[in-house]
Amino acid sequence: MGLMGDKARLLETDRFVPAPDDGRESELQIDAMEAAEAAEAAEASDAVTETGHRRAAEAGDPAAMSALGAMLLRRGDLDGAEPHLRSAAATGDRAAANNLGVLLHQRGYADEAAGWWRIAAVAGSAAAAHALGRHYRERGDEPAAEYWLRQSAESGHCLGAYALADLLEHRGDAGAERWFRAAAERGHREAAYRLARLVEDGREAERRAVPAYGELTQQEEAEQWYRQAAARGHRRAALHLGALLEDRGDVQEAGRWYLSAAKDGEARAACALGYLLRDAGDEESAAEWWRRAAQDGDGNAANALGALHADRGELQTAERWYRVALDAGDVNGAYNIGLLCAEQGRPGRGEQWYRRAAYAGHREAANALAILLLQRGDASGAEPWFSKAAEAGSVDAAFNLGILYASRGDERTAHTWYERAAAAGHTDAALQVAIVQLREGRLQDAERNLRCAADGGSAEAAFRLADLLDRQASAAGAGQADGDRTAEDESTQWYERAARQGHRRAQVRVGMFAAARGDVVEAADWYRTAAEAGSRNGAFNLGLLLAREGSLPEAALWWQRAAEAGHGRAALRLALLAARRGALAEAQRWCAHAVETGPPEVAERAARLRTALQDELTA
């Protein structure tokens, strides 16, 4: 426990002596010359006052004894102060009793100090009640501590209100907020900070869920108290105020508060300032603040430095900073070293770092470790790590568990994990869930999950969503021909989005829309894009388009590509072309290919053509 009844409260007079930790600041700022003159004047005044007090004390004036003892105590002259304070306290002077308690506590006589504080507190000294309450709390006697701290707080004592709030919060008592507020309103900066934390954490959410007209929201009130504490030099308040401002987009002011806290030695603020500077494009300044924070033990800053050097290709330096982060207790350092090893093609070495982070509870490291094991063929070893990561909240691990169970044929369990990942916004999981729902005919649920996956960037989901919307429109009698589509049609928009993302079937579909409205150039572009990416339908349709335009040799090349990829209609077209130019053996080969690849109506036509060709060859 620090000084009882801090220096600002030693004298129960109208005089105020500021204390370095009280959070108070002088309201006057004077230059160096004025300060020197003021100090000389104060020293002269104190000398005159002390002389007067000594004369009165020697004459037996208790008030003078008390004041003189307080002056000497403030100066650190305990031997000189004690006899004066004892004499004054013996006459019933409560200020002298309180200050005698302070003196005795400084000398290590805690029990005797408590005795004098009790005398002063019973006589109405709020400062003594505060000191006595802190004494009992230090002894573990919380009921007695609460009694005296409440006496002090209810008398309007700022430090008493704060100490009572601290005790109540430690016990989980909702009454803490009232006393933090009382202390904060009297300028106690730590109380203002603690009150802001209470408000921001939402412990008052139920009481003030809908603010009355003119009442501050929780965030506004938290900001108000953070500002009060930060303005008085509370560096953690400045840090939280900066974070609050950054969250709402006020980056410039956030940076100013981060800078203020960072200069006062708050490593987390230096780290946050580094991120702001990096986002603003000033990597060198960002690195300097991260370096300061890392040297002060901030693991997050060390990781940020590691990532910065890794992006520059300076892998050895990156690993060194990741190790600094790990030494600071940030398990992300081990995970990042694992990623670095994987990037360098050293998965075996990376595994040990993933394990280290995973055993420490790092969920993404557990997921990465499980992937390594699965890639090595150790599915049974991978499963518990996937499960551990998923239970800890890793969405990727939940999805990977779905893949693992699906590979074993356990579709029900796989679907359960897919649903869990989809509910957390995993794009691929939402698509997998939607596919099952489409199969089961749960079209509304499927549409919701397809939208989620498509919004997340899944081209397959965008294509399936467009197809579903078309089918729903047709079922409702609102379907439309391809040539009647407009850019405003929602399904068309989803097809086009999927096509731009490289989805081959969507590219073919968009090409068909363009062909239907007579835009041959656009249709050919989409068909060609799909065909070059391996779409046999794109190659076949491009061939049809070229044949209509009179480019039969080029059309034949695309049909050949489609046929070789298993497109029966393309094979039948090639068979007809070969038959027309008299290459009957070649035509028969393509007929056989068409029969083999289908579909049934194509296979039937190809079989008839093959028979006719055979008859002609044997005729």
Side-chain angles (χ1 to χ4, degrees):
M1 186 169 68
L3 285 178
M4 288 288 190
D6 104 357
K7 290 184 181 179
R9 305 296 174 182
L10 287 178
L11 287 176
E12 294 192 20
T13 66
D14 292 334
R15 192 164 177 194
F16 176 76
V17 181
D21 295 327
D22 190 66
R24 298 178 181 271
E25 296 177 356
S26 173
E27 295 180 0
L28 297 176
Q29 294 185 353
I30 54 180
D31 65 24
M33 181 66 73
E34 291 174 336
E37 293 173 354
E40 290 175 6
E43 186 176 347
S45 175
D46 283 349
V48 172
T49 302
E50 182 178 341
T51 300
H53 285 327
R54 282 190 182 280
R55 287 176 182 168
E58 290 169 359
D61 186 343
M65 295 176 194
S66 178
L68 178 59
M71 288 184 92
L72 296 171
L73 177 59
R74 188 187 309 112
R75 191 185 299 163
D77 183 0
L78 304 189
D79 291 335
E82 184 172 353
H84 295 295
L85 291 176
R86 284 192 181 276
S87 297
T91 67
D93 188 296
R94 73 178 190 185
N98 175 54
N99 291 333
L100 179 57
V102 173
L103 184 149
L104 292 167
H105 183 268
Q106 289 184 22
R107 285 188 157 165
Y109 303 129
D111 291 335
E112 187 180 357
W116 285 108
W117 281 328
R118 179 182 293 276
I119 290 170
V122 170
S125 170
H130 163 247
L132 189 58
R134 290 187 61 185
H135 168 81
Y136 280 120
R137 186 173 182 191
E138 187 178 70
R139 293 294 188 274
D141 188 348
E142 289 198 359
E146 181 182 352
Y147 174 82
W148 289 110
L149 290 175
R150 195 174 291 278
Q151 293 293 317
S152 175
E154 290 176 349
S155 298
H157 193 274
C158 176
L159 296 177
Y162 172 74
L164 176 60
D166 183 66
L167 175 63
L168 294 174
E169 186 185 42
H170 175 72
R171 288 209 312 242
D173 192 319
E177 182 268 338
R178 170 194 170 190
W179 294 110
F180 276 135
R181 188 179 299 277
E185 288 171 348
R186 290 178 174 85
H188 195 291
R189 69 179 187 182
E190 181 67 21
Y193 169 72
R194 299 275 290 275
L195 177 59
R197 296 292 291 156
L198 275 176
V199 172
E200 192 176 34
D201 287 347
R203 297 182 192 179
E204 296 183 282
E206 185 176 341
R207 181 175 68 82
R208 300 185 307 144
V210 181
Y213 178 76
E215 188 179 34
L216 296 177
T217 64
Q218 280 182 267
Q219 188 177 34
E220 288 170 341
E221 186 180 2
E223 180 182 342
Q224 167 189 303
W225 294 116
Y226 279 139
R227 283 187 182 279
Q228 176 174 309
R232 293 175 179 274
H234 196 292
R235 66 188 191 187
R236 283 176 297 160
L239 167 66
H240 285 279
L241 177 58
L244 190 151
L245 292 166
E246 184 182 359
D247 285 345
R248 76 170 185 226
D250 195 346
V251 177
Q252 285 191 334
E253 188 180 1
R256 289 196 294 273
W257 286 111
Y258 284 149
L259 179 61
S260 172
K263 286 181 175 178
D264 286 340
E266 179 57 58
R268 290 174 297 170
C271 181
L273 180 59
Y275 281 112
L276 284 188
L277 290 166
R278 182 206 60 184
D279 294 343
D282 188 354
E283 284 192 352
E284 293 307 315
S285 296
E288 179 57 34
W289 283 108
W290 281 335
R291 194 170 289 109
R292 287 194 196 185
Q295 289 168 350
D296 286 338
D298 190 286
N300 191 21
N303 275 314
L305 271 174
L308 182 65
H309 287 289
D311 289 342
R312 294 173 177 174
E314 301 163 355
L315 302 187
Q316 286 187 334
T317 306
E319 183 172 340
R320 179 168 63 82
W321 282 111
Y322 289 147
R323 288 179 182 273
V324 170
L326 187 57
D327 290 342
D330 190 331
V331 73
N332 280 310
Y335 173 62
N336 287 332
I337 296 175
L339 292 176
L340 210 58
C341 292
E343 185 179 337
Q344 294 172 314
R346 299 182 294 167
R349 186 162 178 263
E351 181 181 339
Q352 72 180 22
W353 292 105
Y354 286 146
R355 282 189 183 276
R356 182 167 178 177
Y359 277 119
H362 195 292
R363 64 191 188 190
E364 298 310 330
N367 181 55
L369 175 59
I371 291 172
L372 271 182
L373 294 171
L374 194 60
Q375 289 172 342
R376 212 160 60 201
D378 186 2
S380 60
E383 183 181 347
W385 286 113
F386 277 140
S387 295
K388 184 175 182 179
E391 293 298 343
S394 171
V395 180
D396 287 337
F399 176 68
N400 289 335
L401 269 175
I403 294 175
L404 185 63
Y405 281 107
S407 69
R408 296 172 177 172
D410 189 349
E411 295 294 338
R412 177 171 296 184
T413 307
H415 186 66
T416 299
W417 284 108
Y418 285 146
E419 283 187 321
R420 184 165 174 175
H426 195 287
T427 298
D428 292 330
L431 173 60
Q432 293 300 321
V433 172
I435 290 172
V436 173
Q437 291 168 337
L438 286 171
R439 190 164 61 235
E440 295 174 349
R442 296 158 54 194
L443 301 187
Q444 286 187 336
D445 292 336
E447 180 181 342
R448 184 182 67 254
N449 279 298
L450 286 174
R451 287 186 184 278
C452 174
D455 286 335
S458 170
E460 179 66 23
F463 175 77
R464 287 177 179 266
L465 175 59
D467 182 66
L468 176 61
L469 292 172
D470 276 351
R471 286 191 283 119
Q472 288 175 330
S474 295
Q480 55 185 340
D482 288 349
D484 296 332
R485 287 178 175 272
T486 66
E488 287 72 32
D489 295 329
E490 186 183 8
S491 63
T492 303
Q493 291 175 0
W494 285 113
Y495 280 131
E496 289 179 347
R497 179 187 291 194
R500 288 192 296 272
Q501 290 176 297
H503 193 282
R504 293 179 303 182
R505 291 173 65 194
Q507 290 167 344
V508 173
R509 193 71 63 90
V510 173
M512 292 170 62
F513 300 157
R517 63 175 182 266
D519 192 340
V520 177
V521 174
E522 183 182 350
D525 285 343
W526 282 116
Y527 290 151
R528 192 179 302 275
T529 299
E532 289 176 346
S535 169
R536 61 189 186 186
N537 285 331
F540 176 71
N541 286 359
L542 180 58
L544 290 177
L545 208 60
L546 291 167
R548 291 192 195 112
E549 296 296 313
S551 300
L552 199 57
E554 187 180 356
L557 292 175
W558 287 107
W559 283 334
Q560 183 174 343
R561 179 182 291 194
E564 289 171 350
H567 197 289
R569 293 183 190 278
L572 180 57
R573 289 272 179 174
L574 289 169
L576 290 170
L577 282 179
R580 285 172 189 165
R581 66 173 187 269
L584 302 184
E586 180 185 345
Q588 275 197 317
R589 284 200 312 274
W590 285 118
C591 282
H593 194 62
V595 169
E596 182 182 347
T597 55
E601 64 273 16
V602 170
E604 183 180 346
R605 288 180 60 195
R608 289 201 303 268
L609 178 59
R610 183 172 59 179
T611 300
L613 290 170
Q614 183 65 34
D615 291 343
E616 189 168 338
L617 280 170
T618 57

